[in-house]
Amino acid sequence: MSRGGRHAYAAISVLAAGALVLTGCSKGGGDSGNNDKKDKENAQRQQASIKFGDAKDSTGPATAVPGAKTGGTMEVLQRDSYAHLDPAQIYVSDEGSVATLLHRGLTGYKATSNDGSKHEVVGDLATDSGTTTDGGKTWKYTLKDGIKFQDGTAITSKDFRHSIERLFAPFINQGPPYLQQWLADTPGADYRKLLKDGPYKGKHLPDSVLETPDAKTVVFHFKTAHPDLPYALAMAGYAVVSAKGDTKEKYDRAPVAAGPYKIQSFKSGKSMVLVKNTNWDPKTDAIRHQYVDQFNFTFNQQYETSTRTLLADSGADQAGVSFNNQVDAGNLSKVLSDPKMKSRTVGGFQPYVGQMNINMSHPALKDKKIREAIAYALPITPFVRAFGGTDAMEVAGGLISPTVSGYDASFDPWGKKKKPAGDPAKAKALLKEAGKVGMKLTFGYINTPEGQQYSTAMAAGLKKAGFNVQRQEIPAETYYDQVSKLDNNYDIFHTAWGADWPSASTVIPPVFDGRAIADGAQNYSQVNDSRVNSEIDRINKITDPVKSAAAWEKLDQYLVKDVVNVVPTAYYKQIQIAGSKVGGLAYDDVIGGVDPRRLFVK
């Protein structure tokens, strides 16, 4: 899942490191040196499959958090404002985090341990995680009793039909594509042909595709088996939207909540206030809690600012937290070496992989030698250092994270693990062969302190190789909207992607399928390689997870080494800190950060 770090397992798709975390290397500052074993165990744990729960597992209320109390106001310090609050448009980590409080879907991830390390997929608004009798071609869901939107309207199958059909509308272009592609039985963006305008001109999906025979039943019919459907439906992008309250594009700023909280006010770029949704019934929810009375969000809080505020631990900020901001690079060593500070932190290995995209739609970059020169020249050290060194991330060789099956630690075609500062001499030789020494490269970077820092140093490394690099800043709030435009003028720019569940099938197809090139889609490099496209189709049909993982890794290596449309930068880790009066603090593997659903004020 992705964006800058879109999200893993719930596609809560992350703004990753410097792009909305968008989240063998020389030490970049802040390397405690004692977390390697824990990080590897964390990564291996996330590779394990997550089981599908039954009706008992799906029955609310959620298991109480030890020591939890009801009441109080919590301050939430966030770097990035929310560009999207319509669930169908959510595919980045920060928006996914807040979505856990606002939105509900047919299924969801339930934490089964207090440290956020164990989970199962359960029925959320449905009575269980789904039933299939034909291996995954047909899936049936029955809605729970007593489920309502914030306005008191009952949630019915009509709302789910509407929620699914509106995914095909042209204005929905930022969320995950899985369900739409599966229903249309086609890869890429052609799924829109199934219901071109969504439900807004009176047309609907036929019962042979989506069936809602009564108010409580939803049935999916696929031509090809999709045994992973319960995982996909747990993504924020497939949460229910009110048919009655749908305001189309305007829904992105004022959605109708089904979760334990609703939006009282939202001033984009400034603040947001969440208050309790009185029409949320805990008896229907096995996943969430409603301990805090009110969440006050303040945006434009850079990592350094939020870290400094939470370290000070005074006044209202004693009940302060950030759902997504990490401890800044300058304070990371200090925090981890002080037991009192470290006791207020949580952290983990994230599923995100950073990558520098090379815009394949630009004529000059179609020359493979130039792309190879970029790959050799690009220094990774500045990127790792900007986020706190090896406590914050690890130099990447490929596109598959250590948390995803198929990961190959030995793959390092551009020698980044051995030479994280880059190889400008080798790069310059390639540029000379191509006759392009002095070639202009427009480097689009996210306008945050980290983005400014790493982009300046990375640009300097590319200049050593003979490129004329021109940096161009992009606002953090709209970063992914800008770089996902087909006609953007950026030659290179950084993004990060996290698996939507522990399979590379949620890494390679959404980001590198050439048939998915479209405005707002996630094929940021606009690569369209016939071998990649055909391999995606072939591997998606492999049912053996071991064979599938091996095939995805082989395709990963072909992309990085032979196509060279992206240069992997780093595998993400994250350390977060909270005020001393924040209870229920846990780092959730699925969310890839603090779990907002279990927080309380001490």
Side-chain angles (χ1 to χ4, degrees), residues 4 75 84 120 249 254-255 260 280 296 420 444 491 511-512 570 572 586 593:
E75 304 296 323
H84 303 288
E120 59 187 357
E249 289 91 340
W280 170 80
N296 293 338
D491 292 313
V511 188
F512 303 111
Y572 286 65

Side-chain angles (χ1 to χ4, degrees), residues 253-305:
R253 285 291 182 269
V256 182
Y261 293 88
K262 62 183 180 180
I263 300 170
Q264 183 181 79
S265 64
F266 177 46
K267 297 178 181 178
S268 182
K270 295 181 180 180
S271 64
M272 185 168 77
V273 176
L274 300 186
V275 295
K276 287 185 175 182
N277 172 11
T278 56
N279 279 303
W280 170 80
D281 185 352
K283 293 179 182 178
T284 70
D285 198 330
I287 298 172
R288 302 166 189 81
H289 299 282
Q290 195 188 51
Y291 295 130
V292 179
D293 284 342
Q294 182 170 307
F295 289 95
N296 293 338
F297 291 71
T298 304
F299 301 116
N300 293 316
Q301 301 294 299
Q302 301 298 333
Y303 295 162
E304 182 180 2
T305 304

Side-chain angles (χ1 to χ4, degrees), residues 314-349:
S314 64
D317 293 316
Q318 286 183 296
V321 70
S322 178
F323 290 175
N324 305 95
N325 282 20
Q326 59 200 54
V327 174
D328 72 288
N331 281 299
L332 190 56
S333 292
K334 176 183 176 182
V335 168
L336 294 178
S337 62
D338 186 327
K340 290 183 179 179
M341 293 182 187
K342 190 174 182 180
S343 66
R344 292 194 278 126
T345 67
V346 290
F349 214 122

Side-chain angles (χ1 to χ4, degrees), residues 181-295:
Q181 292 172 343
W182 295 351
L183 289 170
D185 197 37
T186 186
D190 283 348
Y191 68 81
R192 292 191 184 275
K193 296 177 182 178
L194 184 62
L195 193 64
K196 187 177 180 182
D197 298 301
Y200 299 107
K201 292 187 178 180
K203 293 185 179 181
H204 300 281
L205 294 173
D207 285 350
S208 60
V209 173
L210 177 66
E211 192 177 357
T212 50
D214 56 54
K216 295 189 66 175
T217 306
V218 179
V219 183
F220 297 94
H221 297 282
F222 304 115
K223 291 182 179 178
T224 305
H226 292 290
D228 283 353
L229 181 66
Y231 289 132
L233 293 178
M235 299 169 71
Y238 298 129
V240 70
V241 168
S242 168
K244 173 186 173 183
D246 184 6
T247 51
K248 298 180 71 174
E249 289 91 340
K250 293 180 180 179
Y251 202 81
D252 225 3
R253 285 291 182 269
V256 182
Y261 293 88
K262 62 183 180 180
I263 300 170
Q264 183 181 79
S265 64
F266 177 46
K267 297 178 181 178
S268 182
K270 295 181 180 180
S271 64
M272 185 168 77
V273 176
L274 300 186
V275 295
K276 287 185 175 182
N277 172 11
T278 56
N279 279 303
W280 170 80
D281 185 352
K283 293 179 182 178
T284 70
D285 198 330
I287 298 172
R288 302 166 189 81
H289 299 282
Q290 195 188 51
Y291 295 130
V292 179
D293 284 342
Q294 182 170 307
F295 289 95

